[in-house]
Amino acid sequence: MADPTPPPAFPPGLAAAPAAAPPARSRAVLLAPVALALLCGLGATAALFYGVRQLEQDKLALAFEQRAHARLQALREGVSNAIAGLRAVNQLFASTPQVTRQQFRLFVQPILDRSPYTYGISYTRFLPQAQRPAFEAELAGRLPGRAMTEMRDGRAVPAGQRSSYWVIDYIEPLAGNEAAFGLDTAYPQAGNVARERAYDTGLPLAGALIALAQGPAPRTGVIVSMPVYRYGAVLADVAARRSALEGETNIVIRPNDLVRKIYAAAGLLGAAGVNQRVYAADREEPAGLVFEELAEAEPAPAALLRWLYPAAPARAVRRLDLAGQPWLLLSWSSPGWAAADHLASLATLALGLVLSLLAAALVQALVWRNRHIQRRVELRTAQLKQLNQALRLRERAIESSTNAVVITAAAPHNPIVYVNPAFERITGYRAAEVLGKSPRLLHGHDLEQQGAAEIRAAIREQRDGHAVVRNYRKDGAMFWNDIYISPVREADGAIHHYVSIQHDITAVKAYESELHHQATHDALSGLPNRALMKDRLRQSLHLAARKDETLWVVSLDLDHFKFVNGRLGHKGGDRLLQAVAERLLAGVRPVDTVARIGGDEFVLLLLPEQGASCPRGDEVQRLLALLAEPLVVDGQELFLTCSAGVAVYPGDGAEAEQLVERADIAMHRAKELGRDNYQFFTAAMNEQLGERLRIEGALRSALERREFVLHYQPQIDVVGGRIFGMEALIRWQHPELGMVAPSRFIGLAEETGLILPIGAWVLRSACLQLLEWQRGGRPGLRIAVNVSARQLAAPGFVQMVAELLAETGLAPRCLELELTESFLMQDVEHAIGMMRQLKRLGVLLAIDDFGTGYSSLAHLKRFEVDVLKIDQTFVRDLAVDPDDAAIVATIISLAANLKLEVISEGVETQDQVDFLRRHGCRQMQGYHFGRPVDAAAFEQLLLADEARAGRAEQGADSGG
């Protein structure tokens, strides 16, 4: 039968509570999670303590290693400074034929001041037995009663009689080193292996520990020696070094003083807990111990601490090379324990124990709360089923949308409560990863953007909002998000949520960005263009005005780019410009700006150095040197030079356009001064620019108006005393400016391209004039004509010369074309090809201004040239400057060995004539023989030369 007792009644919406468990079982169920939580907490505490303790020990070991390395680095730097001082002293002897005692003292004193741990610096020279009396007399004059000494049994005694000695002649400071003055270091022979090796290599090398003659006890030290060779000697091999050996420079080091002073200067002495030993050997041996520092012993830690922190003392072994001599640095820590070194692990242990107890208590509270919540969940389950059915329909509609839908709570930080699949596809985040988090997650670190502020304002003001913001996907990729947000209002008007519709517009933004980049950057090089450069310049000027700083605007232009572009072609020229742009970008800092404003013109904006108010003084020169390094384009090695002009804010202007214009003026001035340099803008350059414009305007019509004339300077064969040729030199006779010097218009003609028609006129006029003189009975005369790099680069130059020779009938051997050395080295292979074509015509080729460029003998022997012209800068002072005399003599000898003619330019005195003739140069030109004159005057020079020759022949016949 059924139980007649009715079931108990419950309030609506509530379910009956389950039957109570027996007391013993209930207590066990409640205590099990508490015990488990406590055990887990203690286990986690032990693991964290071990990890933190290990980190502390690693930190202490790293700190000890760093201190050991700091000592090694300090010693290495100190030793390097001492060796550098020795090299500097040795260089003094290598660069000076005879070093006096006073020069030695003055040179060495600053080195000793910089290296106080160097006990002395000396010069030891080779002394034959025959010179010993004189040396000892001089020694006694400086130190009364002093004679040559040698080391025996660790002390200085009078030197014995030998065939030669190595005596210390100079030593600084003398005070404290008197005992070493006059010491014969060649005796005893033992221990001189390092010195012998130094003689063979020319390097500074240190010997082993030796007994010193000078200084306080203990007199133990190390000598670092570097050989001194005979001034000017060629040291090709060991035999040559041995033959040229004259002496040696030395530094005396007392190892204990060296180490102690270096450590003291670096603040490394007396470090707590660190013990240090330094051996002048490659292993630990008592005989090599030169320095020892032992830290005070610390009290042993308690037994519990030793159990918690078992650790062996740290030990570090470092090796130091002292000029070829190995030294050993040994460091070890003192056993001990300091609470300050283990605060983190102790705090971790204490905090872990406390948190474990708290966690156990919290778990117990949660167990009781969970039992209460479980009852309430069961009561609400039925109601939620109905709500879920209604929500499921709306959820399917939102999940089908192609735009991202995000619902956030109207609470602090607006946590996300829902995202649809489109959100997951766009952002890469799964819904579970973002639920409960702020939508700012998508902003990354980019929180201060304007669009984000608009969204926050819409939420704050509880209104609709729209913004375009930068968001970031889960993989870090940025995308542009077009967001519409609206509040979700309840029936009573309260707002508990916000819904946002988001659309990925990255592709649209990328297209806009590409258009903007194309508008502000150079398409070829990728550098900022003129518009972006001026915008950055204006911003930088505004900032510099606020901070009272100086900035530079640099206008930079490639020298002879049109010539290079003509040979490489447009594509090769483009690759060259790209390579130049890359070098410029690599040579400046990220905060500076490099812009290409057209052709081969670049503009640089150089900001002040960090911590300074202006850019580095050598910045522009460093960039020019960087661009001057060889560059390979399409398999061709090119040598580029640049001209640069600098305008300085605020001194040269406060407006962007004004600074760029003045930098450009300064750049043109640099080109006028010979290119491959840079100039700062000055007020005088404005006037020079005006003159340049006037000259350029007049130059364009000068050829048509026949304002150019040729002057001729005779070339003399001093053996026969006859004129054998002349050099054609252009002059410009302007009706208003008068006689314009070539230096004022030739460079401008090359830059504007006018040098091509002008050069063709010069070549044609010179050939016609020479032909006229030859028809007058002078068939052996020849004429030299300068050819510019621009002419040689022009297509059809060789053909033009061939047609001119054919038209005039001039013998090719009577025409000498002078090529500049700098042109030949710009592109060696091209120059060789051009010379071969010209040589096939039969003309003579000369290298003008030889010695001022940078050609090598390897290239010179490949150049098909006939004449070397010695530049007048060497000839001018050869009678008084030994260096110029040596260079001229070398060039003459080189030309003779290569079967080349040699002509000396700029000969102005009889002394120069005598010198040149004595060294084998028979062809000369200069004011001593005649200034450049016009054709009529030169005709008179030829007549006078012929008359002198006739008188000389008559005198010879009558004498016979």
Side-chain angles (χ1 to χ4, degrees), residues 749 753-761 788 790-792 794:
L754 293 174
I755 194 66
L756 298 179
I758 293 174
W761 176 86
S788 73
R790 192 73 177 269
Q791 288 177 269
L792 291 167

Side-chain angles (χ1 to χ4, degrees), residues 163-182:
S163 60
S164 62
Y165 311 87
W166 284 93
V167 294
I168 298 178
D169 196 3
Y170 300 165
I171 187 164
E172 292 294 334
L174 186 57
N177 286 296
E178 295 89 347
F181 189 37

Side-chain angles (χ1 to χ4, degrees), residues 343-371:
L343 291 178
S345 58
L346 291 175
T348 300
L349 181 61
L351 184 61
L353 294 175
V354 173
L355 291 179
S356 297
L357 296 175
L358 291 176
L362 177 61
V363 169
Q364 184 177 10
L366 290 176
V367 169
W368 286 103
R369 179 178 175 80
N370 184 55
R371 293 184 63 187

Side-chain angles (χ1 to χ4, degrees), residues 39-245:
L39 291 176
C40 290
L42 293 176
T45 298
L48 285 174
F49 172 77
Y50 175 82
V52 174
R53 184 192 68 183
Q54 188 62 39
L55 289 176
E56 289 174 342
Q57 291 176 346
D58 293 343
K59 179 181 178 181
L60 291 174
L62 177 60
F64 179 80
E65 287 289 331
Q66 289 174 341
R67 284 186 284 182
H69 184 73
R71 285 163 168 74
L72 173 65
Q73 199 63 27
L75 278 181
R76 184 173 290 158
E77 183 176 351
V79 168
S80 297
N81 290 339
I83 300 301
L86 177 61
R87 288 181 181 273
V89 174
N90 192 271
Q91 189 62 32
L92 171 66
F93 285 88
S95 61
T96 306
Q98 181 63 39
V99 178
T100 65
R101 195 176 303 276
Q102 179 66 13
Q103 289 175 329
F104 182 84
R105 180 182 302 108
L106 294 176
F107 188 87
V108 164
Q109 189 56 49
I111 298 176
L112 291 171
D113 294 339
R114 289 194 302 269
S115 303
Y117 38 79
T118 300
Y119 196 73
I121 301 178
S122 64
Y123 166 61
T124 301
R125 69 181 178 92
F126 175 78
L127 183 71
Q129 170 63 32
Q131 297 179 11
R132 175 172 178 173
F135 175 79
E136 289 189 327
E138 180 185 358
L139 187 64
R142 296 187 176 277
L143 294 176
R146 188 73 176 173
M148 281 179 50
T149 57
E150 62 186 28
M151 293 298 295
R152 291 182 183 273
D153 300 326
R155 61 190 184 89
V157 298
Q161 295 296 323
R162 284 181 290 278
S163 60
S164 62
Y165 311 87
W166 284 93
V167 294
I168 298 178
D169 196 3
Y170 300 165
I171 187 164
E172 292 294 334
L174 186 57
N177 286 296
E178 295 89 347
F181 189 37
L183 180 69
D184 176 19
T185 62
Y187 185 87
Q189 294 295 328
N192 286 341
V193 176
R195 171 190 270 179
E196 295 294 326
R197 199 164 65 251
Y199 294 162
D200 293 343
T201 62
L203 299 176
L205 293 175
L209 283 174
I210 63 170
L212 299 177
Q214 71 271 35
R219 293 180 177 176
T220 302
V222 173
I223 306 298
V224 183
S225 303
M226 189 171 182
V228 174
Y229 301 108
R230 186 173 58 255
Y231 176 78
V234 177
L235 309 176
D237 51 24
V238 173
R241 290 191 178 94
R242 286 288 187 162
S243 176
L245 184 64

Side-chain angles (χ1 to χ4, degrees), residues 23 72 100 117 180 201 204 328 341 488 532 662 780 851 861 909 952:
L72 173 65
T100 65
Y117 38 79
T201 62
L328 182 71
D341 296 333
V488 179
L532 181 56
R662 292 186 169 179
K861 71 178 184 180
T909 67

Side-chain angles (χ1 to χ4, degrees), residues 519-520 528-536 538:
T520 58
N529 61 11
R530 185 186 299 270
L532 181 56
M533 183 275 298
K534 287 190 175 181
D535 180 66
R536 291 185 181 178
R538 292 187 188 98

Side-chain angles (χ1 to χ4, degrees), residues 776-791:
R778 308 175 185 93
L781 281 180
R782 76 186 193 200
I783 193 165
V785 180
N786 289 283
V787 181
S788 73
R790 192 73 177 269
Q791 288 177 269

Side-chain angles (χ1 to χ4, degrees), residues 356-407:
S356 297
L357 296 175
L358 291 176
L362 177 61
V363 169
Q364 184 177 10
L366 290 176
V367 169
W368 286 103
R369 179 178 175 80
N370 184 55
R371 293 184 63 187
H372 176 71
I373 292 175
Q374 185 177 0
R375 289 181 180 181
R376 296 183 62 86
V377 168
E378 292 172 355
L379 295 175
R380 299 293 184 185
T381 300
Q383 299 174 2
L384 291 177
K385 287 182 179 180
Q386 296 177 356
L387 293 175
N388 284 338
Q389 292 175 355
L391 290 175
R392 196 168 294 139
L393 176 62
R394 301 171 192 171
E395 193 174 283
R396 283 196 297 270
I398 295 175
E399 290 177 351
S400 301
S401 174
T402 58
N403 291 331
V405 178
V406 180
I407 300 176

